[in-house]
Amino acid sequence: PTDQFDQYWQSQHGQALLEGDENVATCFDCHDGHNTLPTDDPASLVYPLNEPTMCAGCHSNEELMAPYDIPTNQYDLYVDSVHGVALLAEQDMRAPVCSTCHGTHGAAPPGFQEVANVCGQCHGATEDYYLQGGHRMGMTVEALPRCVTCHGRYDVPPATIDLFVGTEERHCGSCHPPGSERADEVEAMYEALLAARETYEEAALTIEEASDRRLIMAEQEELLQQGLTPLIEARAIVHTVDVELVQES
């Protein structure tokens, strides 16, 4: 690509540099000056496995970030998140890095003003269901629960049905506490997902026990694997917040 230079000037870094702020990141900082390596070289600063640490070089520096009133704990939050664990601990290159969500040289992801669009780059099915659902339709922009409302921004934990229970921050009950208009619907979706998971786990255990007794369970194992697909799909369908759809799935 030949547009990186133009993109940079559109970025927060580039705009600040144009205003005379020499503390911002430049090409030299991210591409290691004269030791510039290809982006797919594992020794490169911008190689996906290295990128979070590189960005943290500035963004975890409290003194450097102080004039901008920017938090410095993003890296620490990311490391312990489901994304950070996948990338840094499990070496899963599919996991998002800083530039996945914030853009590389300055070209922000399409529709970045709406955070759901950013997350939708990877979680496309979930985004589609969210856009069809009651959280998105017929609500003012200010009232919209977004991905970060329930899942966080940098400290994204594994998504479990436990989010349906309790009134803690990010749990459904923080907006729909017991006795509220939607509380019964929240409980119904939780019960449907819990029953499906328990049924699947019980079937898996039964097949395992039968296999241990030297019974041929190939057909049952295949059926069990097929049954996993609806469970995975249900995790996306819950974003419609449609009780009937969740129960049918």
Side-chain angles (χ1 to χ4, degrees), residues 8-26:
Y8 175 78
W9 293 122
Q10 299 171 36
S11 73
Q12 292 285 338
H13 294 147
Q15 290 292 309
L17 184 61
L18 286 173
E19 295 175 2
D21 186 347
E22 297 183 359
N23 287 324
V24 300
T26 64

Side-chain angles (χ1 to χ4, degrees), residues 27-218:
C27 316
F28 195 96
D29 297 304
C30 299
H31 293 283
D32 205 14
H34 297 97
N35 191 37
T36 302
L37 299 172
T39 57
D40 59 357
D41 188 323
S44 171
L45 292 179
V46 295
Y47 188 69
L49 294 177
N50 302 329
E51 184 181 310
T53 303
M54 178 198 69
C55 294
C58 289
H59 285 277
S60 293
N61 186 323
E62 294 184 2
E63 182 179 353
L64 185 61
M65 292 295 108
Y68 311 103
D69 194 27
I70 295 176
T72 57
N73 63 343
Q74 298 98 322
Y75 178 76
D76 292 336
L77 294 174
Y78 174 81
V79 168
D80 291 330
S81 75
V82 66
H83 294 148
V85 170
L87 180 77
L88 302 175
E90 301 173 2
Q91 307 283 287
D92 187 345
M93 301 285 280
R94 297 171 300 174
V97 295
C98 311
S99 60
T100 308
C101 304
H102 294 284
T104 306
H105 298 95
F112 75 99
Q113 293 91 342
E114 174 51 65
V115 71
N117 295 336
V118 177
C119 300
Q121 293 179 100
C122 297
H123 302 284
T126 300
E127 179 191 23
D128 290 341
Y129 284 123
Y130 167 78
L131 293 174
Q132 297 169 23
H135 280 162
R136 180 65 177 83
M137 302 299 293
M139 300 181 70
T140 63
V141 173
E142 293 77 12
L144 287 178
R146 295 168 164 77
C147 308
V148 295
T149 307
C150 304
H151 300 288
R153 191 178 302 274
Y154 299 104
D155 55 337
V156 180
T160 71
I161 62 174
D162 292 339
L163 289 173
F164 285 89
V165 181
T167 57
E168 304 96 316
E169 184 182 3
R170 300 185 186 177
H171 288 233
C172 296
S174 63
C175 291
H176 309 293
S180 65
E181 181 181 358
R182 300 297 181 190
D184 290 344
E185 295 179 3
V186 171
E187 183 176 0
M189 285 189 286
Y190 172 74
E191 293 294 341
L193 293 169
L194 180 62
R197 187 182 71 183
E198 290 178 344
T199 300
Y200 181 87
E201 291 174 349
E202 182 180 351
L205 181 60
T206 301
I207 291 173
E208 182 181 356
E209 291 176 347
S211 297
D212 290 342
R213 296 177 183 180
R214 301 295 188 267
L215 296 177
I216 298 174
M217 303 298 293

